[in-house]
């Protein structure tokens, strides 16, 4: 009887602990339980809906105040409550034609090892446009909450004009196409094709123009190959995240918590994708893909896929490859894949040194 009573008491204690733990977890999660809907481009207010119990809250696109409409499912009634909200930068896909970017304050919110962020950096460097790198902490993303609280990704390009106009652009392909006008490929460039290692990544996708196909190829094949390689083991994964350990903007704990967790998580992601795509040799898959691109550039007859000057595909590919800057993946690639060197060296020369005013804040590789 005593044993049964003790077991019952222990069970009650466990239940009580679970209830308290769930309550604490809900207290943390509930404020962020917001389902994001499509942003309104006309006034840059993001409509959101929050469902809790029998009530729903919907944001109304009203400036300069943000109004929330409370809908009661029980009574069928509604009421409107408004809260003051500071308008963030206007979300655009193209910058106004009357803007002189060299006269503006330009900031790029990024992860240093992110392939998509390095695309935007390549375009900015090519234009020799001074900009500030705002390194975003991978875990809390505190740096983007003020300008883009509804968006959890990078890159974000922020532009402030001398007369006070404030813009932001999201998505690397949007940023590159807005900055670089030479976006076509030469007529002789063939469409992308799969290789022996990348058959599950690219399966004869012939929809759209050759340029559109290559643009999809950069995301579906090249990015995947780079991720498989820079995180293929814990040593290389740690090397990729090592920039966090020297970043001046993060505290000792903030930098190490992000580096340590990122190292393990992305190593696991790479292992999962390797199984998903049936890749036997990560390096071979990368070399085959890069060689495929290099042959297409050569067939086009120019130093770049766009011809005599780099275009959007060139910047997308270059940015993805440069995400492994100073790491073992880049060293092996440039040593083993000779076919890419003419194009790669031409891109290095075209982009020149970094135009970032605070480039010394970031240290890459081992």
């Amino acid at each position: 009887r005593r044993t049964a009573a003790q077991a019952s008491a222990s069970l009650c204690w466990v239940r009580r602990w679970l209830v308290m733990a769930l309550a604490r977890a809900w207290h943390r999660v509930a404020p962020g339980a917001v389902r994001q809907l499509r942003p309104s481009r006309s006034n840059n207010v993001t409509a959101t809906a929050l469902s809790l119990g029998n009530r729903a809250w919907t944001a109304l696109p009203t400036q300069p105040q943000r109004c929330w409409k409370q809908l009661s499912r029980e009574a069928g009634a509604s009421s409107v409550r408004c809260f003051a909200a500071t308008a963030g930068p206007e979300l655009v896909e193209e910058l106004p034609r009357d803007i002189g970017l060299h006269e503006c304050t330009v900031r790029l919110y990024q992860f240093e090892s992110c392939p998509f962020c390095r695309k935007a950096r390549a375009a900015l460097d090519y234009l020799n446009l001074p900009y500030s790198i705002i390194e975003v902490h991978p875990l809390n993303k505190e740096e983007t909450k003020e300008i883009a609280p509804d968006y959890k990704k990078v890159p974000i390009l922020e532009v402030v004009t001398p007369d006070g106009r404030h813009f932001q652009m999201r998505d690397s392909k949007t940023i590159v196409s807005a900055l670089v006008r030479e976006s076509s490929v030469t007529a002789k460039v063939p469409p992308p094709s799969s290789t022996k290692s990348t058959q599950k990544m690219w399966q004869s996708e012939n929809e759209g123009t050759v340029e559109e196909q290559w643009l999809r190829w950069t995301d579906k094949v090249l990015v995947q190959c780079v991720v498989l390689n820079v995180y293929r083991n814990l040593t290389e994964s740690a090397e990729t995240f090592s920039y966090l350990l020297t970043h001046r903007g993060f505290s000792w704990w903030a930098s190490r918590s992000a580096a340590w967790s990122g190292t393990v998580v992305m190593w696991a992601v790479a292992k999962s994708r390797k199984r998903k795509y049936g890749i036997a040799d990560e390096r071979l898959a990368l070399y085959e893909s890069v060689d495929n691109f290099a042959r297409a550039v050569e067939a086009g007859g120019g130093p770049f896929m766009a011809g005599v000057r780099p275009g959007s595909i060139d910047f997308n590919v270059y940015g993805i490859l440069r995400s492994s800057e100073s790491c073992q993946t880049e060293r092996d690639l440039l040593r083993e894949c000779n076919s890419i060197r003419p194009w790669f060296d031409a891109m290095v020369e075209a982009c020149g040194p970094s135009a970032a005013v605070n480039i010394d804040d970031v240290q890459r590789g081992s």
Side-chain angles (χ1 to χ4, degrees):
R1 291 179 181 177
R2 182 176 300 177
T3 301
Q6 290 174 344
S8 178
S10 298
L11 182 60
C12 290
W13 184 87
V14 170
R15 287 175 179 173
R16 184 180 303 174
W17 182 86
L18 286 174
V19 169
M20 293 176 64
L22 289 172
R24 285 194 297 267
W26 174 248
H27 179 72
R28 293 190 187 100
V29 173
V34 177
R35 177 168 53 89
Q36 297 170 356
L37 304 179
R38 181 172 296 177
S40 170
R41 294 178 184 170
S42 60
N43 52 26
N44 198 38
V45 172
T46 301
T48 61
L50 172 62
S51 180
L52 294 173
N54 292 322
R55 292 182 177 179
W57 296 81
T58 303
L60 303 179
T62 304
Q63 293 281 13
Q65 289 181 320
R66 181 166 298 175
C67 296
W68 296 84
K69 185 175 182 181
Q70 180 183 7
L71 304 176
S72 174
R73 295 175 184 165
E74 295 176 345
S78 65
S79 61
V80 175
R81 299 170 63 187
C82 293
F83 306 90
T86 303
E90 181 183 353
L91 178 60
V92 297
E93 293 189 355
E94 291 185 359
L95 293 170
R97 296 287 182 174
D98 63 330
I99 287 181
L101 280 175
H102 284 81
E103 301 172 357
C104 297
T105 299
V106 180
R107 303 182 185 94
L108 180 68
Y109 295 78
Q110 67 148 35
F111 299 149
E112 174 62 25
S113 59
C114 169
F116 306 104
C117 299
R118 295 307 294 263
K119 297 179 188 181
R121 288 228 340 235
L124 291 168
D125 293 339
Y126 173 72
L127 296 175
N128 195 26
L129 179 64
Y131 63 99
S132 297
I133 295 174
I134 309 297
E135 193 65 31
V136 178
H137 193 275
L139 298 182
N140 58 37
K141 301 177 177 65
E142 187 68 32
E143 293 76 12
T144 62
K145 289 180 180 179
E146 183 176 350
I147 69 161
D150 61 313
Y151 191 67
K152 303 302 180 184
K153 300 178 182 179
V154 287
I156 301 173
L157 188 68
E158 180 186 19
V159 178
V160 183
T161 65
D163 60 0
R165 287 180 290 173
H166 202 177
F167 304 98
Q168 65 170 297
M169 286 190 292
R170 303 171 180 177
D171 182 75
S172 59
K173 292 188 286 292
T174 299
I175 294 171
V176 169
S177 63
L179 294 174
V180 181
R181 302 303 178 187
E182 294 84 359
S183 59
S184 61
V185 299
T186 60
K188 295 182 180 180
V189 171
S193 59
S194 63
T195 67
K196 184 178 180 180
S197 300
T198 62
Q199 292 178 357
K200 290 187 177 181
M201 297 179 184
W202 188 262
Q203 300 174 346
S204 301
E205 299 187 18
N206 298 321
E207 297 181 1
T209 65
V210 172
E211 180 183 3
E212 291 169 343
Q213 292 179 51
W214 275 109
L215 198 59
R216 291 198 303 273
W217 177 88
T218 62
D219 286 345
K220 289 193 172 185
V221 178
L222 190 59
V223 166
Q224 304 303 326
C225 288
V226 168
V227 168
L228 289 172
N229 279 271
V230 297
Y231 305 116
R232 68 173 180 162
N233 55 51
L234 288 174
T235 300
E236 291 190 51
S237 186
E239 181 186 44
T240 305
F241 281 100
S242 63
Y243 75 92
L244 286 167
L245 303 180
T246 59
H247 199 280
R248 302 172 186 175
F250 300 143
S251 66
W252 186 92
W253 172 247
S255 62
R256 279 150 182 79
S257 61
W260 295 338
S261 60
T263 294
V264 175
V265 169
M266 291 309 300
W267 169 74
V269 168
K271 291 298 181 185
S272 175
R273 293 187 184 182
K274 183 178 180 179
R275 291 192 297 270
K276 174 183 178 181
Y277 295 119
I279 302 296
D281 186 332
E282 303 95 328
R283 286 290 199 264
L284 181 60
L286 177 62
Y287 298 160
E288 288 178 354
S289 299
V290 169
D291 187 62
N292 187 16
F293 173 77
R295 288 198 305 269
V297 172
E298 184 179 5
F304 307 105
M305 184 166 276
V308 295
R309 290 188 298 272
S312 62
I313 305 300
D314 296 291
F315 287 108
N316 276 273
V317 172
Y318 182 69
I320 293 170
L321 296 180
R322 289 300 273 173
S323 66
S324 63
E325 180 184 359
S326 300
C327 292
Q328 190 61 48
T329 294
E330 183 186 61
R331 293 191 289 270
D332 290 348
L333 174 66
L334 296 180
R335 184 181 64 249
E336 300 293 337
C337 196
N338 294 325
S339 62
I340 199 63
R341 287 306 297 261
W343 172 87
F344 187 87
D345 292 341
M347 285 298 298
V348 170
E349 183 178 357
C351 292
S354 176
V357 298
N358 59 337
I359 188 61
D360 292 337
D361 287 350
V362 177
Q363 299 179 22
R364 290 300 308 273
S366 58

